[in-house]
Amino acid sequence: ATIESLTQKKVMEKQPLLYDLTELQKDANKQFKYSADHTLKVMQELYERYKILSYPRTSSRYLSSDIAPKCPELLDKVSGISEFSEAIKIIKEKNHSIAKRMIDDKKVTDHHAIIPTDKTPNLGELPTDHTNIYLMVIRRFLAAFLPECEKSHTEILASAANESFKATGTMIIAPGWRQLYRQSDDKKDVLLPTVSKGDLSKIKKVTLKKGQTKAPALYTEATILAAMETAGKKIDDDELRQAMKDCGLGTPATRAQILEKLIGVKYIEREKNKLVPTSKGEYLIDCILSESLVSPELTGNWEKALNDMAQSKGKRGEYMEKIKTFTKEVIQKVADDKSYTIGADQTIYGGCPKCEKGK
């Protein structure tokens, strides 16, 4: 193969935003398989009983300007945690302050992001799950003090046998905040060899694979929390996801209870870390008939309208009229439908011998 072109671009990766409850529940599920409800209970204890983390039921991932000056003091309180001693030493020696994008009064409503308090933690008194959750929050807090991660993004175009080939890869030049996450992230980076335009590269092996696209994976608690946050729209960007949070399903404080309720009434069930619909749940969806009624975006829009009213941006009368109209349309549709649905636990024995329906 002949190297036709080589493009290298420096990319600066920003520090991740601080934790709100939903983001913390997602990461705890990914790393430790904790349910959203369990993570909330642990967080509540770390806040109420141990008093080492701030209020957990928050939907903000930012800090207000009055909290920013207190951050160096909070940093001192966690400096005794040996796991982070190297990172804290770098922050203090280079006099790093918390990233400016973490401070935004407009994006803090009732409560700011989850951060450590001014109480010195005693990790020895914490149960294992409490320690795991606590260290997740501290790691995210410290990452906000470290510089951006500097990467080199490389793209190589080569030609062989009248065909074009492309290879892309990323190399970390200066880890910055990623030094706190390096162990889990190193495996994801594809390293490419050093080449120049015009170089000849020997092809040792060619492998062609045929496959088919897979159906979307079943939800885990982490992925369904992300979907609830944005009413089913797939948004990876932290800041865009924040902009969508007023259109989400539920609130950070209620999403865990929603999942537990669905499991409790046996509409869904846990299979290891997956959430699987039951026959009862599928039967319910069949009976609803209306596609719009089962759309996450519909509920998201309702939530947004309620939130707008709470901020004096919407009128209750107009909202209720829309709800009434929609309800009448759905009921009429069900009334007009002549089909019937077999229940989740029913057995078909045959059609009616009198009217012959069902044959």
Side-chain angles (χ1 to χ4, degrees):
T2 304
I3 305 301
E4 300 291 346
S5 69
L6 172 69
T7 306
Q8 288 183 305
K9 183 171 65 175
K10 186 171 79 171
V11 178
M12 302 302 292
E13 186 181 14
K14 293 179 179 179
Q15 307 89 338
L17 295 174
L18 299 168
Y19 277 127
D20 65 359
L21 178 58
T22 302
E23 194 68 16
L24 184 62
Q25 287 170 321
K26 283 157 51 180
D27 281 0
N29 181 256
K30 289 176 188 173
Q31 291 184 39
F32 304 110
K33 304 294 186 287
Y34 296 159
S35 72
D37 188 54
H38 181 69
T39 299
L40 175 56
K41 287 175 180 174
V42 169
M43 282 296 301
Q44 204 66 33
E45 285 214 336
L46 291 170
Y47 166 66
E48 289 181 349
R49 179 181 174 186
Y50 298 101
K51 305 186 188 309
I52 54 177
L53 286 183
S54 62
Y55 185 74
R57 295 169 184 258
T58 176
S59 60
S60 177
R61 300 184 65 187
Y62 297 86
L63 301 177
S64 53
S65 53
D66 63 318
I67 297 292
K70 301 176 183 177
C71 287
E73 179 190 346
L74 302 180
L75 190 67
D76 288 335
K77 296 296 180 181
V78 299
S79 59
I81 302 175
S82 58
E83 186 174 339
F84 303 125
S85 57
E86 184 182 344
I88 294 173
K89 182 181 177 183
I90 292 171
I91 292 169
K92 289 187 174 181
E93 284 180 353
K94 300 194 175 180
N95 201 26
H96 290 314
S97 56
I98 195 164
K100 289 182 179 178
R101 80 188 193 108
M102 306 295 171
I103 314 299
D104 193 332
D105 289 332
K106 294 179 181 177
K107 294 178 180 177
V108 177
T109 50
D110 298 333
H111 303 281
H112 57 68
I114 301 169
I115 57 173
T117 63
D118 57 3
K119 182 179 178 182
T120 304
N122 178 8
L123 298 187
E125 69 176 358
L126 298 179
T128 302
D129 52 356
H130 290 55
T131 302
N132 290 338
I133 296 292
Y134 180 72
L135 293 180
M136 284 176 63
V137 174
I138 302 307
R139 180 176 281 106
R140 184 60 64 93
F141 180 65
L142 295 178
F145 285 84
L146 291 168
E148 294 179 353
C149 174
E150 184 179 344
K151 293 181 174 182
S152 173
H153 182 76
T154 304
E155 181 179 278
I156 298 174
L157 295 179
S159 62
N162 297 320
E163 297 288 347
S164 296
F165 299 89
K166 181 173 78 171
T168 58
T170 301
M171 184 177 293
I172 293 179
I173 300 171
W177 63 269
R178 277 203 174 274
Q179 66 184 274
L180 291 168
Y181 294 86
R182 191 180 297 175
Q183 188 174 3
S184 60
D185 289 322
D186 279 352
K187 299 173 185 176
K188 299 177 185 177
D189 291 313
V190 178
L191 301 180
L192 298 178
T194 302
V195 295
S196 301
K197 184 177 179 180
D199 284 357
L200 295 176
S201 180
K202 187 176 181 181
I203 299 174
K204 295 181 180 178
K205 184 180 180 182
V206 176
T207 304
L208 295 178
K209 289 185 178 180
K210 285 187 177 182
Q212 294 179 323
T213 56
K214 294 181 179 179
L218 290 169
Y219 278 116
T220 64
E221 292 209 25
T223 56
I224 203 166
L225 284 169
M228 292 172 77
E229 201 174 17
T230 56
K233 294 181 179 177
K234 185 172 176 58
I235 300 174
D236 294 323
D237 185 88
D238 278 347
E239 294 186 76
L240 285 178
R241 202 160 52 237
Q242 284 289 296
M244 268 291 293
K245 69 182 176 65
D246 288 337
C247 301
L249 307 182
T251 67
T254 61
R255 285 174 192 138
Q257 281 77 17
I258 291 171
L259 294 178
E260 293 303 320
K261 176 71 173 176
L262 291 171
I263 292 168
V265 296
K266 296 184 172 25
Y267 288 151
I268 60 175
E269 58 189 11
R270 287 190 182 95
E271 285 187 7
K272 295 183 179 178
N273 199 39
K274 303 288 185 183
L275 295 174
V276 182
T278 62
S279 56
K280 182 180 179 182
E282 291 175 354
Y283 173 58
L284 174 70
I285 298 300
D286 287 343
C287 289
I288 287 174
L289 300 174
S290 170
E291 288 184 14
S292 58
L293 193 60
V294 296
S295 163
E297 289 190 22
L298 173 72
T299 310
N301 289 331
W302 284 352
E303 293 264 17
K304 184 179 185 302
L306 290 169
N307 188 61
D308 286 345
M309 279 189 279
Q311 299 177 31
S312 302
K313 295 178 183 177
K315 295 181 179 179
R316 180 182 181 277
E318 292 178 3
Y319 175 78
M320 289 308 299
E321 279 305 314
K322 289 180 181 177
I323 294 293
K324 287 176 185 176
T325 301
F326 177 80
T327 304
K328 288 177 182 176
E329 289 174 354
V330 171
I331 292 172
Q332 190 62 49
K333 187 175 179 180
V334 173
D336 293 342
D337 194 283
K338 303 301 182 186
S339 64
Y340 66 93
T341 307
I342 300 303
D345 55 353
Q346 292 178 335
T347 303
I348 301 174
Y349 292 103
C352 172
K354 186 173 182 180
C355 69
E356 297 189 348
K357 281 187 178 180
K359 283 190 176 181

